[in-house]
Amino acid sequence: MRSDNVTKGVQQAPHRSLMNALGMTEEERRRPLIGIVNSYNEIVPGHMNLDKITEAVKLGVAMAGGTPVVFPAIAVCDGIAMGHVGMKYSLVTRDLICDSTECMVMAHQFDGLVCIPNCDKNVPGLLMAAARVNIPTIFVSGGPMLAGHVRGKKRSLSSMFEAVGSVAAGTMSMEELEEFEEKVCPTCGSCSGMYTANSMNCLTEVLGMGLKGNGTIPAVYSERIRLAKHAGMQIMELVRQNIRPRDIMTEKAFLNALTVDMALGCSTNSMLHLPAIAHEAGVELNMEIANEISSRTPNLCHLAPAGPTYIEDLNEAGGVYAVMNELNKKNLLCTDLMTVTGKTVGENIAGCVNKNPEVIRPVENPYSQTGGIAVLKGNLAPDTGVVKRSAVVPEMMVHEGPARVFDCEEDAIAAIKSGKIVPGDVVVIRYEGPKGGPGMREMLNPTSAIAGMGLGSSVALITDGRFSGASRGASIGHVSPEAAVGGPIALVEEGDIISINIPENRLDVKLSEEELAARRARWQPREPKITTGYLARYREMVTSGNRGAVLEIRK
């Protein structure tokens, strides 16, 4: 066992003395040491129940013959960080979480690992860490929030942000806003729609790193506690069989994840996180393959914000495995891959029927024959841009309009709320990419303001930053190369005509190559917005959005 390096032999007598100081018995030292990464804190609603999940995992590990050892991971609440400088610190925590977990695992020589994340960056950060350290690992999340209920309709956090836009437009009163505020987030858990946290937790099941229901069982259900106990027990089986993350997260597993991503209509942030996780697993995942997968993958779910159903509904309909079983009817998945259950994908999903065709469309009757996410290219996005196609209204799938150019999110929000954005406009928000932000802010505020003001079917948004999974509409993010490195988005001027053609996967500015070249010659790099601390170091190391915004050492 790896833990022999700290528990056995004469040279390890000092190590054992320190374990004695922990109250650890000789019997506990003889057992496999299982690290448990607990992302609990008291500021993220999706993490406030993780203390209970952790206790359940510890019990499961102990019941199966292991010694559980808990250590922490940080977490940012994207909702609370939204719309101010705090959002610069969201994506960047993915790498802090990964790095700190690597440090704890390698320093203490754990034999296995149980990861307990829930919200946006913890899931990919811990998946990256699992691939990097490559010891037997299993995931169990904190689970999704239940949907809120306002005046007979299910609601969620995206409804709350859009309500703010409705107040600005004069179509909602302050009293109505306060009712939304009280009711849209009724329980702990990751926000109740198919936003980034739930997207990544669902994809953890698809990748084979979590047990059935990990992405969908609501946080407040006792079934979630039972799941955590089973995860604790199952890690011991993985240790005994030495089944490791890189045995599970293979290239074919990532292709499965992209396929189910398309069927579920996940957050566009999955297009940022999957390449980063694959990178740590030694797999090169070119996002341009997404359109090829999308072309043959039907979109089966319209979960909020794309539609009126929520993760709790997906859970009742049969969950992620039921979606996978539908896709398997068309042989769209690789089913012979190993998973943390000890069984193959095919064995896991066998018999998992679709219990509600209104929530999970049968594969014969999809919302569309193509997937929920599209990767766009063109002279405005020579590398790529990403849009959640399933959340775009039909009339905005093809659109041309004048650019309304803003060099930061705050200026765009001010213009939207003051009525300066009109039907037909294309809002361009730049210098918000991985380097330009720095930190690639998520922009739920501008998309929600546009939707709340009734412009969702007539105004598009384009950015080198990113959009929340709660965003809907023609919101195109991750435009690469970003403005900070002189990408074409930096050359756009007020009034330029932007052409969006999602069915043809195109994003262009209607300028000649000669005009673009002239503007490029005049362009000057901007002074960095932040020059000290972690964000300054991050800016120097981060790659572009189309590569997953991974960190690389310059050679």
Side-chain angles (χ1 to χ4, degrees):
M1 293 190 300
R2 281 165 50 94
S3 58
D4 289 352
N5 292 326
V6 294
T7 61
K8 292 185 178 178
V10 174
Q11 293 297 321
Q12 281 67 43
H15 307 66
R16 292 193 295 273
S17 71
L18 290 167
M19 291 181 177
N20 287 337
L22 292 168
M24 190 179 290
T25 66
E26 182 180 349
E27 292 81 3
E28 288 174 299
R29 289 198 302 269
R30 290 175 184 166
R31 297 178 173 186
L33 295 183
I34 306 300
I36 300 174
V37 194
N38 178 9
S39 301
Y40 169 81
N41 65 40
E42 295 182 342
I43 190 61
V44 184
H47 290 226
M48 63 179 285
N49 64 321
L50 297 191
D51 54 342
K52 296 176 177 61
I53 300 295
T54 300
E55 289 304 313
V57 169
K58 287 174 65 178
L59 185 57
V61 169
M63 285 193 295
T67 297
V69 182
V70 179
F71 64 91
I74 64 168
V76 164
C77 177
D78 276 22
I80 295 174
M82 194 72 66
H84 56 88
V85 68
M87 183 46 70
K88 294 179 184 289
Y89 288 88
S90 173
L91 176 62
V92 304
T93 64
R94 187 184 70 180
D95 297 276
L96 285 174
I97 292 160
C98 176
D99 292 348
S100 61
T101 301
E102 175 195 2
C103 291
M104 291 296 288
V105 169
M106 300 308 295
H108 303 102
Q109 293 293 286
F110 296 124
D111 299 298
L113 190 64
V114 182
C115 296
I116 308 177
N118 209 25
C119 291
D120 295 29
K121 308 312 166 304
N122 289 74
V123 187
L126 289 174
L127 283 167
M128 289 164 66
R132 186 184 294 178
V133 301
N134 201 34
I135 65 172
T137 304
I138 194 168
F139 276 66
V140 55
S141 77
M145 185 184 290
L146 293 178
H149 291 263
V150 183
R151 301 184 181 184
K153 291 185 178 180
K154 286 187 176 181
R155 301 289 188 177
S156 64
L157 185 66
S158 56
S159 308
M160 187 71 250
F161 277 89
E162 290 179 13
V164 174
S166 297
V167 170
T171 58
M172 179 180 284
S173 69
M174 284 300 299
E175 290 74 17
E176 291 172 309
L177 180 71
E178 289 169 3
E179 183 178 5
F180 270 70
E181 187 178 332
E182 289 293 326
K183 295 180 178 179
V184 296
C185 296
T187 70
C188 63
S190 48
C191 297
S192 55
M194 188 53 83
Y195 310 149
T196 305
N198 292 326
S199 294
M200 294 310 302
N201 279 321
C202 287
L203 294 181
T204 299
E205 286 191 57
V206 185
L207 284 169
M209 293 298 293
L211 300 178
K212 179 184 178 184
N214 183 55
T216 60
I217 298 170
V220 294
Y221 283 14
S222 297
E223 186 182 357
R224 174 67 54 181
I225 300 296
R226 298 198 300 273
L227 179 75
K229 291 176 183 176
H230 283 129
M233 289 185 270
Q234 186 60 20
I235 187 59
M236 297 309 300
E237 190 60 33
L238 295 173
V239 169
R240 279 188 280 271
Q241 295 187 41
N242 195 30
I243 297 174
R244 296 179 291 172
R246 291 194 182 196
D247 301 323
I248 295 169
M249 291 193 286
T250 62
E251 182 177 6
K252 289 182 178 179
F254 284 104
L255 296 181
N256 276 355
L258 280 171
T259 300
V260 179
D261 192 339
M262 295 297 171
L264 285 171
C266 291
S267 164
T268 52
N269 281 314
S270 62
M271 296 291 104
L272 198 65
H273 298 319
L274 287 174
I277 300 161
H279 177 75
E280 294 292 348
V283 174
E284 189 65 33
L285 193 63
N286 186 336
M287 278 298 94
E288 293 182 38
I289 199 174
N291 286 336
E292 179 187 332
I293 291 173
S294 177
S295 69
R296 61 175 182 263
T297 305
N299 178 222
L300 305 182
C301 299
H302 269 191
L303 297 149
T309 53
Y310 294 80
I311 302 298
E312 62 191 64
D313 301 312
L314 177 61
N315 186 63
E316 294 301 318
V320 174
Y321 280 12
V323 174
M324 295 174 72
N325 208 23
E326 286 288 344
L327 294 172
N328 201 39
K329 293 176 183 177
K330 293 185 70 174
N331 298 314
L332 293 172
L333 298 176
C334 302
T335 57
D336 60 349
L337 309 180
M338 180 52 61
T339 72
V340 292
T341 66
K343 300 177 182 179
T344 65
V345 169
E347 290 171 322
N348 286 342
I349 66 176
C352 295
V353 299
N354 180 358
K355 300 175 183 177
N356 189 340
E358 297 300 315
V359 176
I360 305 171
R361 287 279 187 94
V363 74
E364 303 84 7
N365 181 36
Y367 283 101
S368 65
Q369 294 294 339
T370 52
I373 293 177
V375 175
L376 312 184
K377 295 189 75 172
N379 70 353
L380 189 53
D383 291 339
T384 54
V386 180
V387 65
K388 187 169 182 173
R389 186 204 320 244
S390 60
V392 180
V393 294
E395 54 266 40
M396 290 298 290
M397 296 294 281
V398 177
H399 179 76
E400 282 192 6
R404 305 299 307 281
V405 183
F406 304 94
D407 287 349
C408 67
E409 178 187 5
E410 288 84 355
D411 290 350
I413 293 171
I416 294 166
K417 290 188 174 180
S418 63
K420 294 179 180 177
I421 303 302
V422 299
D425 283 348
V426 178
V427 176
V428 177
I429 307 175
R430 61 192 182 188
Y431 295 99
E432 291 284 9
K435 288 183 180 293
M440 203 178 187
R441 284 198 286 184
E442 201 171 72
M443 300 186 198
L444 181 54
N445 277 353
T447 58
S448 298
I450 281 179
M453 295 186 75
L455 298 171
S457 61
S458 60
V459 170
L461 293 94
I462 297 173
T463 184
D464 53 7
R466 59 197 179 94
F467 291 112
S468 166
S471 294
R472 60 187 176 98
S475 304
I476 301 165
H478 309 189
V479 170
S480 303
E482 63 174 291
V485 298
I489 193 172
L491 310 178
V492 176
E493 296 178 1
E494 189 82 5
D496 287 345
I497 300 301
I498 305 292
S499 174
I500 300 166
N501 192 320
I502 295 173
E504 294 185 5
N505 304 311
R506 295 291 306 181
L507 178 62
D508 295 283
V509 55
K510 302 190 86 172
L511 296 172
S512 67
E513 283 303 309
E514 291 78 12
E515 176 61 21
L516 283 171
R519 292 186 187 184
R520 190 172 291 111
R522 296 193 300 267
W523 179 80
Q524 294 293 322
R526 300 290 182 92
E527 287 295 320
K529 297 176 184 177
I530 294 176
T531 58
T532 60
Y534 178 58
L535 288 182
R537 297 197 301 275
Y538 181 88
R539 186 191 68 243
E540 291 301 313
M541 297 177 67
V542 71
T543 62
S544 65
N546 70 303
R547 295 182 57 199
V550 298
L551 301 185
E552 286 187 345
I553 300 171
R554 291 186 177 180
K555 296 181 180 178

